[in-house]
Amino acid sequence: MKLHTRCGRTLHVTRFTPQGLPTRMSRVVLDTSFASYDEDELWTSLTSEEARRLAGLLLLQAAAVESEPRAMPGVVEAVSVAGDAYAIRVRGHVLPVDQPLTEGGTDTAPTPVKLFVAAVAGCAAHYAGRTRPPLPAEKQAALRAVVPHCTVTNTLAQTPEVVLAGHSAFSGEADRDTETTRR
């Protein structure tokens, strides 16, 4: 994840997870671009908005390396990071979501709806294969025919059972209110 500052710096916020080593050895990485005029020190000045975005990016990566995501099939966890930012854990992967600044978020990641739209685009891209743009006319028609039947859009047509279980951040125990939704 990148943050381009008004002072001309590019900050890269990532995580380093050595393969084969315990998750506790994972680290959050903050890489600051180096310029020729940086003699003995490296600096960045941030606006208040940039500082909030950087804090959000750091918190999202920290949530990803805090504990090993559970790779349980069919289980998706939403872990609160800060404010409206969450780390969504699924099958050992961590996907950040947030709200835009105008909605009270820190705009460090796409909204859940944008992530959903990205999932539809990813499904379409899967079916498009390795064809490079511009897509030939005959492939465009085939792609338009297939997208309504991709896994993501099929999930909309046949909604799976959803079980919501809340966990307290303090006790780690499930809250008493557990709800099952079936459509």
Side-chain angles (χ1 to χ4, degrees):
M1 301 175 164
K2 294 181 184 180
L3 173 66
H4 301 286
T5 68
R6 290 186 185 149
C7 73
R9 298 282 185 193
T10 299
L11 304 176
H12 301 268
V13 181
T14 58
R15 63 183 176 269
F16 173 69
T17 307
Q19 285 187 334
L21 295 177
T23 302
R24 70 182 187 288
M25 299 202 53
S26 297
R27 298 290 186 260
V28 175
V29 178
L30 174 61
D31 183 16
T32 306
S33 59
F34 189 79
S36 59
Y37 53 82
D38 295 321
E39 294 175 15
D40 294 332
E41 58 185 35
L42 189 58
W43 58 269
T44 298
S45 66
L46 304 171
T47 65
S48 58
E49 177 184 325
E50 290 168 343
R52 279 192 293 278
R53 291 202 62 217
L54 177 59
L57 292 172
L58 289 167
L59 287 168
L60 284 171
Q61 293 300 342
V65 300
E66 261 179 343
S67 61
E68 190 169 311
R70 295 180 212 156
M72 296 174 54
V75 174
V76 177
E77 290 182 297
V79 179
S80 178
V81 174
D84 278 338
Y86 292 87
I88 308 301
R89 295 178 176 174
V90 59
R91 261 189 43 239
H93 303 283
V94 178
L95 305 166
V97 294
D98 196 358
Q99 295 297 319
L101 294 170
T102 57
E103 299 297 321
T106 54
D107 201 24
T108 58
T111 65
V113 172
K114 296 289 184 190
L115 195 57
F116 172 75
V117 172
V120 174
C123 198
H126 169 74
Y127 286 108
R130 297 183 185 266
T131 305
R132 306 237 176 209
L135 209 57
E138 65 275 3
K139 290 244 181 188
Q140 286 180 11
L143 183 59
R144 281 192 198 98
V146 170
V147 169
H149 304 289
C150 81
T151 307
V152 177
T153 51
N154 281 339
T155 301
L156 289 174
Q158 297 177 2
T159 307
E161 181 177 357
V162 176
V163 177
L164 301 174
H167 295 275
S168 170
F170 300 105
S171 70
E173 296 178 12
D175 290 343
R176 290 185 186 167
D177 295 330
T178 301
E179 180 181 324
T180 301
T181 305
R182 178 173 241 154
R183 294 183 187 183

